[in-house]
Amino acid sequence: MGSFKSSVFILVLHLLEGALSKSLIQLNNNGYEGIVVAIDPNVPEDDTLIQQIKDMVTQASPFLFEATEKRFYFKNVAILIPEKWKTKPEYVRPKLETYKNADVLVAEPNPPGNDDPYTEQIGNCGEKGERIYLTPDFIAGKKLRQYGPQEKVFVHEWAHLRWGVFNEYNNDQKFYLSNGKREAVRCSATMTGKNEVNVCQGGSCVTRRCKIDQVTGLYEKGCEFIPAGKQKEKASIMFSQNIDSVVTFCTEKNHNKEAPNQQNQRCNLRSTWEVIRDSEDFKTATPMTTQPPKPTFSLLQIAQRIVCLVLDKSGSMTAGDRLKRLNQAGKLFLLQTVEQGSWVGMVTFDSVAHVQSELIQINSGTERNALTNRLPTAAAGGTSICTGLRSAFTVIRKKYPTDGAEIVLLTDGEDNTISACFNEVKQSGAIIHTVALGPSAAKELEELSKMTGGLQTYASDQAQNNGLIDAFGALSSGNGAVSQRSIQLESKGLTLQNGQWMNGTVIVDSTVGNDTLFLITWTVQPPQILLWDPSGKLQNGFLVDTNTKMAYLQIPGTAKVGVWNYSLQASSQTLTLTVTSRASSATLPPVTVTSKVNKDTGKFPSPMVVYAKIHQGSLPILGASVTALIESVNGNTVTLELLDNGAGADATKDDGIYSRYFTAYDTNGRYSVKVRALGGVSTARRSAMPQQNGARYIPGWIENGEVKWNPPRPEVNKDGLRRKKVCFSRTALGGSFVASNVPKAPIPDLFPPCQITDLQAKIQGESLINLTWTAPGDDYDHGRAYKYIIGISTNILDLRDKFNESVQVNTTNLIPKEASAQEVFVFKPENITFENGTDLFIAVQAVDKVNLISEISNIARVSLFIPPPPPPETPSPSLPCPDINVNSTIPGIHILKIMWKWLGELQLSVALG
């Protein structure tokens, strides 16, 4: 088993090394640089908010410094200010900083009143998070009583974001049994406090000690652990950051390994400090001997979008209709994707560069059409990418600095001189989006998008996959209001023979419909095109461009909500259909789908992870049907169903982020990723985000020995769904990645089953244990595992560290189900003491058909609680005459309520027929 553990550790390291984050943060001599805090465009203009952000980070820096034993501090921060706020002399144009790569987003609460600070984490323990979310009221200090000082909360969230640690509290289970004793879920376990409940009735509230539930042995529902105001304990920031004495993270010495919280479940019982210590940051930093300087801030205001297309027209672009396909994709970008008010220029290149258009501002269809007429129509010559880029810089600088400008670079050719302009690219401050077309595009091309934070895409020569149009369609602004962004509703293609039809439907939902475009392309001759709106009316007026082999129809006004039907007929050629739209309203957020992979390089046998985030504003969309289409450089396409089930590659259930492992490598080289999402009868929107990875909402505090209560945190109702279903269709590009080390076929099976992360256990009857978990697969979360190994122990660390020596449960009759199915297994513990007060710890491993073994699951626990026998009845003293009233509001039933006070309070209700 030792060799397996080490191989898993190496695999995890590979995952972390290649982790893909568009964040610009860098650690330089103990100081974090390049942090981007973005103020959402919908936040009302308020200059004090900028100062409050500065104050929060400035005060958080020394707190972070001390909490990390003088290792880390905040060095410089950029604050992104919305375009519609008044301009000031101190505001400068951003360089690589955009809303898309912001590390912190300050946005209005949604729904109103929910000011929970939180961090979006889609990866495993130790993997960086995506982004911190804060509200203006939180930053303004209006939520001190609910969360504690802003600077301490910010450090809590930073630990989620930067080091991939998790919460040490648990809102769903606030207490647990340990050796028969009730304990609050906390870290460290030596933190003192009161276990109290706030009982409210008829406008008045009473605080009392928590009662014990005689069935579970735990405290009653509503019981809260309220930490004492004065503590000797200094940990932990990831439990309750508001306590004055708390200034450190839990270490292996004081970590509460038994507490059923996310940190233990996700990080294999390791303390937050152990996870931080394993980070790349920690390995490259030594404690400082002097105090760090205060953070510096740059104020950046979003400005008009500036884009220059840099398009390859070398001789190789004549192959496979590439030039025609470039024209089709370029027209989609110019006619639809790029936003009104943007400045757009165009350069083509072969061995030399040609300026096709200086920067012109798009104010109407006139400018859009003028630009489409400048797209290249002939191809010849060699490939000099740097020449094209330098020409683009010149075009931009005639009107604006290159800071924050975007370059869309498409090439299909090899060019071994590309690295010659890397330094110029870095110094330009421009963002470069790369489109690699065909199998021979320059190998270093992606370095340009990596170093500038641009989008990295790949399109094959398979026209039916629509890769080039998808790549250009994905290039909406990283800074514009979401209501202005182009949204792709459909993208599909098919090769037809002998007058065959390509039939289908597109859903236009109520959140989109403005500026809707239907675009059809072909490879030989125009097909028959039939399109009906939801009322059944046939649509006419397609503009046909026989030179470019495309036709398009722009729907005037707002497209009708409902199902649009299309039928396309052709023979012996390939057709594609693309439908794009924009939000129907500036105030109603559209349903959006964004997709990405966990890293930009995949080294066999390390799996890739594909993610798709489906939200409406900040609210997740649940129950969607989501598939990823992954195309290799060979032209082979693999279809993956992405899941939001909290198992396998998916970190959190029902958060609107759908995930899956990809292991079906077939060759080395580039792979493109595209996601299709459909919302139907079972799809719904959460009415609120469940709190996941964020600072603890403080139920109350102790003042002069008395508990003072905060209002209850707004809870998500049980399934958190609005009744109204959400029907929609979307496609989104997930970028591309490059695979290496893939052996020639037949490819060996080196993929173990994935780790089980949602194991749960409960007592059934008096002596049985009921286990549930989501089935892993044969290869991570695909296929079917061969068998399970279940180990039990009364010592949680022995089970983790010596799983093979634990008592093994007989699983002969337990046959694994297909990946993602729910497993249920009931057993009676044998060969182990299981009596009143016993804590039993349980873990599972999955084994595949070639005997590869998964990591040990999260550790579940059961505590056997046998309630004491009721005390013998003693004669009751005579009672005073009670108040009696008859409630006869229900026909045929009288409820006799007898209430009195006698040595405490007693309520009795008797139903009389």
Side-chain angles (χ1 to χ4, degrees):
M1 283 301 294
S3 63
F4 168 73
K5 281 187 180 175
S6 61
S7 69
V8 167
F9 183 63
I10 290 164
L11 174 68
V12 171
L13 275 184
H14 276 310
L15 282 169
L16 298 185
E17 283 165 8
L20 177 67
S21 173
K22 292 290 184 189
S23 172
L24 304 175
I25 297 171
Q26 290 190 317
L27 182 64
N28 186 6
N29 292 329
N30 301 84
Y32 287 110
E33 301 177 335
I35 303 164
V36 178
V37 179
I39 301 172
D40 187 78
N42 292 323
V43 172
E45 185 164 351
D46 179 6
D47 286 350
T48 59
L49 180 60
I50 296 170
Q51 187 56 48
Q52 288 159 350
I53 292 168
K54 291 180 177 181
D55 292 344
M56 176 184 72
V57 178
T58 301
Q59 290 159 19
S61 188
F63 183 69
L64 175 72
F65 186 67
E66 295 302 329
T68 57
E69 298 179 354
K70 304 188 186 325
R71 277 181 177 81
F72 307 120
Y73 69 97
F74 298 124
K75 193 171 187 178
N76 68 54
V77 177
I79 301 176
L80 270 187
I81 297 162
E83 185 177 359
K84 65 183 179 183
W85 286 27
K86 289 193 193 92
T87 57
K88 293 190 175 181
E90 62 267 34
Y91 297 171
V92 298
R93 188 180 172 89
K95 291 188 178 181
L96 307 182
E97 301 88 355
T98 68
Y99 279 102
K100 283 184 177 177
N101 63 23
D103 306 293
V104 183
L105 183 67
V106 181
E108 293 292 329
N110 186 9
N114 181 9
D115 288 272
D116 279 345
Y118 70 97
T119 303
E120 187 174 80
Q121 287 178 274
I122 65 175
N124 294 317
C125 180
E127 292 184 17
K128 292 183 179 73
E130 295 296 294
R131 178 180 286 180
I132 295 168
Y133 291 83
L134 304 174
T135 68
D137 277 0
F138 167 80
I139 289 174
K142 295 178 183 177
K143 301 293 173 181
L144 276 172
R145 286 194 162 175
Q146 287 86 350
Y147 304 102
Q150 301 95 301
E151 66 272 14
K152 293 180 81 172
V153 172
F154 189 66
V155 171
H156 173 107
E157 302 305 336
W158 186 262
H160 285 304
L161 179 78
R162 190 66 192 174
W163 304 309
V165 299
F166 293 89
N167 295 329
E168 291 172 330
Y169 63 89
N170 185 344
N171 280 337
D172 296 325
Q173 183 186 341
K174 298 181 179 181
F175 297 91
Y176 64 100
L177 289 174
S178 179
N179 296 319
K181 185 183 172 190
R182 284 161 291 281
E183 294 284 356
V185 174
R186 64 202 192 280
C187 199
S188 83
T190 58
M191 189 167 281
T192 58
K194 292 183 174 183
N195 301 320
E196 307 265 300
V197 65
N198 195 29
V199 182
C200 297
Q201 199 168 7
S204 63
C205 298
V206 177
T207 299
R208 59 167 171 77
R209 293 182 69 177
C210 300
K211 295 175 183 174
I212 296 167
D213 183 318
Q214 290 302 312
V215 175
T216 64
L218 295 170
Y219 290 120
E220 63 187 305
K221 189 178 179 184
C223 182
E224 297 281 0
F225 171 70
I226 310 295
K230 291 185 178 177
Q231 300 273 351
K232 291 180 182 176
E233 184 52 67
K234 294 182 178 181
S236 167
I237 293 166
M238 301 313 289
F239 166 61
S240 201
Q241 67 291 330
N242 63 299
I243 299 168
D244 289 345
S245 68
V246 168
V247 291
T248 64
F249 296 97
C250 267
T251 68
E252 60 265 53
K253 291 180 181 173
N254 60 6
H255 177 58
N256 182 3
K257 296 176 182 66
E258 289 194 8
N261 57 31
Q262 283 273 296
Q263 177 63 25
N264 280 327
Q265 180 179 353
R266 303 290 300 278
C267 295
N268 202 15
L269 312 181
R270 290 187 300 157
S271 67
T272 49
W273 187 244
E274 287 172 270
V275 176
I276 294 168
R277 210 170 52 201
D278 284 342
S279 70
E280 287 304 308
D281 289 355
F282 198 96
K283 290 170 186 171
T284 57
T286 53
M288 291 173 63
T289 54
T290 57
Q291 287 299 305
K294 286 186 175 180
T296 59
F297 297 89
S298 50
L299 305 181
L300 312 176
Q301 187 165 33
I302 300 303
Q304 291 160 320
R305 188 180 189 193
I306 298 163
V307 190
C308 190
L309 301 178
V310 178
L311 308 174
D312 187 345
K313 67 169 208 65
S314 61
S316 54
M317 286 293 290
T318 57
D321 252 356
R322 288 177 188 168
L323 200 63
K324 283 270 191 289
R325 291 173 58 218
L326 161 59
N327 272 261
Q328 294 163 356
K331 284 194 174 182
L332 174 71
F333 178 77
L334 294 168
L335 292 173
Q336 172 75 8
T337 307
V338 72
E339 298 80 6
Q340 287 286 97
S342 302
W343 289 83
V344 181
M346 191 188 305
V347 169
T348 58
F349 69 93
D350 39 58
S351 46
V352 294
H354 316 266
V355 176
Q356 299 295 112
S357 173
E358 302 290 352
L359 287 181
I360 60 172
Q361 189 172 27
I362 292 182
N363 295 313
S364 68
T366 306
E367 292 84 12
R368 293 181 185 272
N369 289 326
L371 282 160
T372 62
N373 291 333
R374 307 302 299 163
L375 288 163
T377 54
T383 304
S384 176
I385 291 168
C386 285
T387 303
L389 290 173
R390 289 181 183 120
S391 179
F393 292 151
T394 303
V395 166
I396 294 165
R397 285 176 182 138
K398 285 181 183 175
K399 207 155 195 74
Y400 289 104
T402 47
D403 289 346
E406 296 168 74
I407 289 174
V408 178
L409 170 62
L410 174 138
T411 184
D412 73 336
E414 294 185 21
D415 179 358
N416 55 16
T417 65
I418 191 170
S419 58
C421 54
F422 280 1
N423 280 337
E424 291 166 74
V425 167
K426 281 178 189 170
Q427 287 161 16
S428 73
I431 297 164
I432 299 185
H433 308 292
T434 56
V435 184
L437 176 58
S440 304
K443 296 286 182 283
E444 302 88 349
L445 187 63
E446 283 82 5
E447 291 300 319
L448 292 166
S449 43
K450 273 188 226 173
M451 71 175 70
T452 63
L455 182 64
Q456 165 184 317
T457 59
Y458 158 67
S460 74
D461 284 326
Q462 307 288 323
Q464 73 272 17
N465 291 337
N466 216 21
L468 202 51
I469 282 176
D470 291 338
F472 276 76
L475 293 168
S476 58
S477 170
N479 286 326
V482 70
S483 61
Q484 294 304 309
R485 288 184 200 158
S486 178
I487 294 170
Q488 200 174 59
L489 307 187
E490 183 58 283
S491 165
K492 67 181 353 178
L494 198 61
T495 299
L496 301 177
Q497 307 292 343
N498 305 323
Q500 287 178 311
W501 290 87
M502 173 173 154
N503 301 315
T505 60
V506 178
I507 299 170
V508 175
D509 59 275
S510 61
T511 71
V512 293
N514 282 351
D515 201 15
T516 302
L517 178 89
F518 285 79
L519 173 71
I520 288 144
T521 73
W522 56 88
T523 51
V524 182
Q525 61 190 35
Q528 183 178 354
I529 300 170
L530 300 172
L531 174 68
W532 297 271
D533 74 8
S535 68
K537 183 181 176 185
L538 185 65
Q539 303 295 295
N540 297 310
F542 272 89
L543 293 173
V544 178
D545 179 346
T546 51
N547 285 333
T548 311
K549 297 180 179 174
M550 62 184 278
Y552 59 91
L553 174 68
Q554 287 182 301
I555 307 296
T558 304
K560 281 187 179 176
V561 171
V563 178
W564 291 63
N565 287 274
Y566 63 85
S567 290
L568 312 176
Q569 187 184 34
S571 296
S572 305
Q573 64 169 327
T574 298
L575 307 184
T576 74
L577 170 85
T578 307
V579 185
T580 64
S581 188
R582 281 188 163 83
S584 57
S585 158
T587 53
L588 175 70
V591 173
T592 58
V593 177
T594 52
S595 178
K596 63 176 271 184
V597 286
N598 65 324
K599 47 193 173 166
D600 46 32
T601 53
K603 196 171 183 183
F604 183 91
S606 175
M608 299 295 296
V609 182
V610 183
Y611 301 105
K613 178 179 177 178
I614 310 181
H615 276 55
Q616 186 182 358
S618 64
L619 302 179
I621 301 290
L622 309 185
S625 169
V626 187
T627 51
L629 304 168
I630 301 167
E631 184 189 4
S632 74
V633 73
N634 281 350
N636 297 328
T637 300
V638 173
T639 302
L640 279 186
E641 183 186 8
L642 306 187
L643 302 171
D644 185 15
N645 62 352
D650 192 60
T652 306
K653 185 176 181 176
D654 289 347
D655 63 349
I657 296 169
Y658 297 72
S659 322
R660 204 74 185 266
Y661 285 110
F662 169 75
T663 57
Y665 298 99
D666 68 343
T667 186
N668 291 313
R670 294 182 174 103
Y671 289 68
S672 69
V673 180
K674 173 168 150 182
V675 164
R676 299 174 59 84
L678 289 172
V681 176
S682 61
T683 310
R685 182 185 64 191
R686 260 197 187 278
S687 58
M689 272 295 283
Q691 184 167 5
Q692 295 298 348
N693 307 306
R696 179 174 179 250
Y697 182 92
I698 303 156
W701 66 98
I702 297 173
E703 199 173 284
N704 300 324
E706 275 190 41
V707 175
K708 304 286 184 183
W709 295 94
N710 272 318
R713 176 179 174 266
E715 289 294 334
V716 180
N717 57 7
K718 191 173 181 188
D719 54 6
L721 302 180
R722 294 236 169 123
R723 290 182 186 276
K724 190 178 175 186
K725 67 183 181 184
V726 185
C727 291
F728 64 90
S729 62
R730 298 285 187 276
T731 60
L733 203 62
S736 65
F737 63 90
V738 179
S740 61
N741 277 20
V742 180
K744 287 192 169 71
I747 293 171
D749 181 357
L750 300 178
F751 303 110
C754 63
Q755 181 190 25
I756 294 163
T757 57
D758 61 351
L759 178 66
Q760 292 185 313
K762 63 182 180 182
I763 301 282
Q764 184 171 309
E766 291 188 1
S767 59
L768 298 178
I769 295 174
N770 178 301
L771 299 181
T772 58
W773 67 92
T774 303
D778 177 86
D779 297 341
Y780 288 91
D781 51 9
H782 301 277
R784 186 196 292 257
Y786 175 66
K787 67 176 182 178
Y788 292 117
I789 303 168
I790 300 177
I792 56 177
S793 176
T794 54
N795 184 301
I796 193 168
L797 287 184
D798 282 353
L799 186 63
R800 181 190 72 174
D801 300 334
K802 305 172 187 172
F803 182 80
N804 281 356
E805 298 172 22
S806 64
V807 174
Q808 305 278 301
V809 175
N810 184 345
T811 57
T812 307
N813 297 323
L814 176 58
I815 296 169
K817 294 179 181 174
E818 280 290 321
S820 306
Q822 280 302 112
E823 299 277 22
V824 179
F825 182 64
V826 179
F827 70 97
K828 184 175 183 177
E830 294 175 348
N831 306 318
I832 198 164
T833 303
F834 194 49
E835 57 193 19
N836 196 21
T838 299
D839 301 321
L840 203 58
F841 302 97
I842 305 143
V844 182
Q845 280 185 320
V847 185
D848 74 5
K849 59 182 178 291
V850 295
N851 218 32
L852 294 172
I853 305 175
S854 74
E855 292 181 69
I856 295 163
S857 70
N858 64 293
I859 295 178
R861 69 181 292 150
V862 291
S863 299
L864 188 57
F865 171 73
I866 301 172
E873 288 188 16
T874 54
S876 302
S878 59
L879 296 173
C881 192
D883 294 330
I884 298 179
N885 61 72
V886 176
N887 181 341
S888 59
T889 56
I890 305 171
I893 297 179
H894 296 293
I895 312 251
L896 181 65
K897 289 190 178 176
I898 306 178
M899 292 182 277
W900 59 76
K901 287 200 172 178
W902 186 266
L903 301 176
E905 198 169 72
L906 172 66
Q907 279 198 342
L908 175 65
S909 296
V910 182
L912 301 176

